[in-house]
Amino acid sequence: MTTDTAAPGISGTTEAAAPPVRNATVVLPPPFRPRTLLSRALAIPLVLGLSCFLPLVVISQPGDGPRDAAFWLQLVLTVYCGVRLSAMVLTARRRLLQATFWMFCYMAMGVAPLAQAVLDRVPTPVVGPREDLVQAVALVLLGCFAFDIGALLARYRPPWRRRAPGEPRPPGEVAPDDRPVLIHRRRLYLLALFAFACGGLLIVKLGGPAVFFASRQEIIGAIEDTGVAPEGGGQAGQAFLRGFGTVPPLIALLAYTRWLITSQRARRTWSVIAMFAALVLLNVIVNNPISNPRYWFLTVMFALLFTAFPVSAAMYRTSLSLGVIVALLLFPFMDKFRYDENNTRSVETTSFLEPLALKDYDQVGMFANTITYVESGQGHSYGYQLAGSLLFAVPRSMWEDKPNDTGVTVGEWMGAVNTNLSSPIWAELWIDYGPVGMTLGLAGLGYAAARVDRRVARRAVRSSPSGSLLLIAAPLVAGYSFILVRGPLLQATGKIAIAAMCLALIATRRRDPRAGLR
C-alpha cells in the first residue's frame, strides 16, 4: 500500500488537494528604485563636499586673517550648516522652508564669512572690538541649534492627540485634510486683472518696458523722478510701492502654472492658455533679473520651479545643489545690472574668495555691529523695531518717531555712507529682545517651518487637487525666506502684506466644483 504524503512546500497529491488559503499576505522583494540608489551614491560625496571639502579649500587659501576664536567658530558654523544642508537635500520628504533656511545659512553665514575671515577683508566694516565678532558668530551658531530644536519639537505630538493606526476619529472631529484651502477660479480671474492693472500702471509710470531692461539704478531714478515713491519714503517705501507691480503678477502666474500642469481641461481651454502667456510676458518685464534685486529674482525662480514640479525629488535636489553653486560663484557677479555704463563697478579679482569678501555677504559683520550698537549704550528696543516693521504702512506724518529699518539705524550710527545694509533675523531679534528672545524666536521659526513642510509633504502628491493654495503659497514663502532671513524686516514686510492680500483674495474652502480649478 502506498501513501501519498508530501512535506510542506513540496509538490504532492496532498498539497494539490489542500484548499486555497484566503487573505494570505504575499511578501514581495522591494522594487528597484534608481532614485534611492542615486541618493545613496551621492550622499557621501555631497556631505563631504559641503561640510569638509569646500571649507578646507577656503581655509587653505593664503590670507592675512588671524586664526583666533572667531575664525574657528566660523569654521564650526560652516561645517554644521553644510551637514544640515546636506540632510535637507538627501531627505526622503521635501522640506522647502527648512532647506532654504539652511541654504542661506551655509552661503551667507558660513562659507562667505569664512572667506572673509581668511582674507581679513569684509564688505562692511566691523566697528566694534574683536570680542563682538566672536560673540556674533557664537550667537549665529546658537540660533542654528535653536532652529533645529524647534523643528524637532514640531514632530512631537501630545499623547491626547495620538491615534493608533486604523483608529476612527471621535464624532464631530474633522480631519485636517478634509477641507483644504483651494484657489477660487473666478477670484483668480480678478487677481489676474488686478495684476495686469498694477503691472501696467508701473510700466507706464516708469516710461515704458525699455526702462526695465536698463539697470536697477535707472529704475530707482525713474521711481524718484515720477513720484511713485513719496518723498522721504526711503527704501521701504519704494519696495512697498514697487511690490504692487511685481507681487500680484507673480502670484497670478504661479496659480495659472499650477492650474495648467494639473488640469487637462485647462490645457484645452484657449482663454486659460492666453491668460498664462500674457502673465508670462508681464513677469518677464516687471520681474526680470536686470531691474530687480538678485534675492527677489531668486524668489521668483524658486517659486516657479517648486510650483511647476511639486512632487519631483530630482528637481528639489538639483535646485538646492545648483543653488549653492550659483550663489557662491555667480551671485557676487550678478550686480552688473545694478549700474549703468557710466557707473559700472567691475570685479577685479585674483582669487575666487575675493568676491565673497567684497560683495553683499555682510550678514555676520552687521550682526556684530548690531551687538556693538546695543552695548554702546543704545540698549535693546524691546519690540520697538519689530513694531515699526509690522506697522510699515503707517506714514511718518502720523508716527513721527517711527523707527527706520535696523540696517539703516545701525548704518547711521556707524557713520556709513551707504546705509542700505542687511540686518539678518539674528540681528532683528537681538536688537529687540536680546539673547533669550533671539533663541526663542529662531526656535519658533524652526517649529513653524517644520509644520508647514509637513503639511506641504502631505499635499504634494500626484492625487492632490489642482487648486490647492498651499502648493503655490509654500514655494513663494520658501523663495522669499532668503529676503526675510537676510533682512531688514522693514523692507521685506511690504511685499509680504501684498502677497497675503493676493492669496486671501483667491482662497476658498468651498466644495462647489464650479468654484475651484478644474
Side-chain angles (χ1 to χ4, degrees), residues 123-191:
T124 302
V126 178
V127 297
R130 189 73 176 177
E131 290 76 13
D132 288 352
L133 181 60
V134 175
Q135 185 180 359
V137 180
L139 287 171
V140 171
L141 188 58
L142 175 63
C144 292
F145 291 152
F147 184 90
D148 265 342
I149 292 174
L152 288 175
L153 291 176
R155 302 167 63 180
Y156 171 77
R157 298 190 67 182
W160 61 85
R161 295 188 59 187
R162 298 174 188 172
R163 183 177 292 105
E167 180 183 351
R169 295 182 179 274
E173 182 179 348
V174 179
D177 292 339
D178 286 348
R179 297 185 62 194
V181 180
L182 303 176
I183 300 174
H184 197 287
R185 183 175 57 196
R186 295 178 181 176
R187 295 179 191 169
L188 179 57
Y189 294 148
L190 294 177
L191 176 62

Side-chain angles (χ1 to χ4, degrees), residues 232-237 373 381 383-392 394-396 399-413 419-421 423 428 431-432 488-493:
Q235 296 289 337
Y373 168 82
S381 57
Y384 184 68
Q385 287 293 129
L386 181 61
S389 300
L390 296 177
L391 301 176
F392 65 93
V394 178
R396 295 189 181 274
W399 186 3
E400 295 182 357
D401 296 332
K402 181 180 177 180
N404 293 320
D405 63 53
T406 306
V408 171
T409 300
V410 177
E412 290 178 348
W413 172 80
T419 58
N420 185 22
L421 303 172
S423 178
E428 296 283 352
I431 198 172
D432 270 332
L489 284 180
L490 183 58
Q491 294 186 26
T493 45

Side-chain angles (χ1 to χ4, degrees), residues 336-350:
K336 175 183 178 181
F337 303 116
R338 182 179 297 181
Y339 306 95
D340 56 24
E341 295 180 356
N342 297 324
N343 192 21
T344 302
R345 291 197 308 186
S346 58
V347 180
E348 298 179 359
T349 175
T350 57

Side-chain angles (χ1 to χ4, degrees), residues 1-33:
M1 183 177 65
T2 7
T3 356
D4 210 359
T5 58
I10 302 177
S11 299
T13 309
T14 307
E15 185 179 356
V21 180
R22 296 182 178 180
N23 300 327
T25 304
V26 181
V27 180
L28 298 177
F32 174 73
R33 296 179 178 177

Side-chain angles (χ1 to χ4, degrees), residues 51-125:
S51 60
C52 298
F53 178 72
L54 185 56
L56 287 177
V57 169
V58 172
I59 65 176
S60 64
Q61 299 299 311
D64 300 328
R67 303 297 174 99
D68 56 358
F71 173 84
W72 295 113
L73 278 174
Q74 187 62 58
L75 180 60
V76 172
L77 175 61
T78 305
V79 171
Y80 183 78
C81 292
V83 172
R84 297 301 297 130
L85 178 59
S86 302
M88 293 298 107
V89 175
L90 298 170
T91 182
R93 291 184 176 182
R94 301 198 318 166
R95 300 174 182 176
L96 291 181
L97 271 68
Q98 297 175 76
T100 50
F101 175 84
W102 288 114
M103 180 185 291
F104 176 85
C105 289
Y106 183 71
M107 298 182 309
M109 314 300 281
V111 175
L114 184 62
Q116 296 165 11
V118 169
L119 298 178
D120 197 22
R121 300 175 66 180
V122 292
T124 302

Side-chain angles (χ1 to χ4, degrees), residues 150-509:
L152 288 175
L153 291 176
R155 302 167 63 180
Y156 171 77
R157 298 190 67 182
W160 61 85
R161 295 188 59 187
R162 298 174 188 172
R163 183 177 292 105
E167 180 183 351
R169 295 182 179 274
E173 182 179 348
V174 179
D177 292 339
D178 286 348
R179 297 185 62 194
V181 180
L182 303 176
I183 300 174
H184 197 287
R185 183 175 57 196
R186 295 178 181 176
R187 295 179 191 169
L188 179 57
Y189 294 148
L190 294 177
L191 176 62
L193 294 177
F194 180 68
F196 283 114
C198 293
L201 180 62
L202 184 62
I203 293 172
V204 171
K205 281 284 187 179
L206 298 186
V211 71
F212 289 86
F213 299 94
S215 66
R216 283 179 56 193
Q217 183 187 19
E218 189 167 338
I219 283 281
I220 295 173
I223 291 176
E224 295 174 349
D225 294 341
T226 57
V228 175
E231 186 176 355
Q235 296 289 337
Q238 292 181 16
F240 176 70
L241 293 172
R242 285 185 66 186
F244 276 105
T246 56
V247 176
L250 175 60
I251 295 180
L253 179 61
L254 295 178
Y256 271 88
T257 300
R258 173 71 182 164
W259 191 5
L260 285 171
I261 286 176
T262 57
S263 173
Q264 188 175 6
R265 181 180 177 183
R267 292 193 294 269
R268 295 175 178 176
T269 306
W270 69 268
S271 59
V272 178
I273 297 176
M275 185 70 78
F276 173 77
L279 286 170
V280 169
L281 179 61
L282 178 63
N283 278 272
V284 167
I285 297 174
V286 300
N287 282 321
N288 67 78
I290 298 177
S291 59
N292 286 278
R294 288 162 289 173
Y295 279 97
W296 173 247
F297 182 70
L298 196 63
T299 300
V300 173
M301 293 305 300
F302 264 73
L304 284 173
L305 282 175
F306 293 139
T307 299
F309 304 97
V311 296
S312 173
M315 180 58 66
Y316 168 76
R317 291 166 179 165
T318 303
S319 300
L320 294 180
S321 303
L322 292 181
V324 174
I325 299 174
V326 170
L328 293 178
L329 299 182
L330 301 181
F331 219 56
F333 298 92
M334 289 177 64
D335 65 347
K336 175 183 178 181
F337 303 116
R338 182 179 297 181
Y339 306 95
D340 56 24
E341 295 180 356
N342 297 324
N343 192 21
T344 302
R345 291 197 308 186
S346 58
V347 180
E348 298 179 359
T349 175
T350 57
S351 169
F352 79 97
L353 296 185
E354 289 188 16
L356 300 178
L358 300 177
K359 291 295 179 179
D360 295 334
Y361 294 118
D362 64 341
Q363 284 74 39
V364 172
M366 281 304 298
F367 185 26
N369 289 331
T370 305
I371 294 174
T372 307
Y373 168 82
V374 171
E375 294 180 351
S376 66
Q378 304 294 331
H380 298 287
S381 57
Y382 299 105
Y384 184 68
Q385 287 293 129
L386 181 61
S389 300
L390 296 177
L391 301 176
F392 65 93
V394 178
R396 295 189 181 274
S397 58
M398 298 178 59
W399 186 3
E400 295 182 357
D401 296 332
K402 181 180 177 180
N404 293 320
D405 63 53
T406 306
V408 171
T409 300
V410 177
E412 290 178 348
W413 172 80
M414 294 165 50
V417 177
N418 178 21
T419 58
N420 185 22
L421 303 172
S422 66
S423 178
I425 191 64
W426 289 263
E428 296 283 352
L429 293 170
W430 170 270
I431 198 172
D432 270 332
Y433 304 110
V436 176
M438 185 207 74
T439 305
L440 293 178
L442 281 162
L445 188 64
Y447 180 88
R451 294 286 296 185
V452 174
D453 283 340
R454 289 185 62 185
R455 180 65 60 88
V456 172
R458 289 199 297 266
R459 294 280 183 214
V461 293
R462 300 189 186 278
S463 58
S464 61
S466 59
S468 178
L469 186 68
L470 183 62
L471 294 186
I472 70 167
L476 180 65
V477 174
Y480 200 70
S481 63
F482 290 108
I483 300 176
L484 287 174
V485 179
R486 177 184 181 267
L489 284 180
L490 183 58
Q491 294 186 26
T493 45
K495 288 186 176 180
I496 293 177
I498 298 171
M501 180 189 70
C502 295
L503 293 174
L505 173 64
I506 60 177
T508 182
R509 285 184 179 271

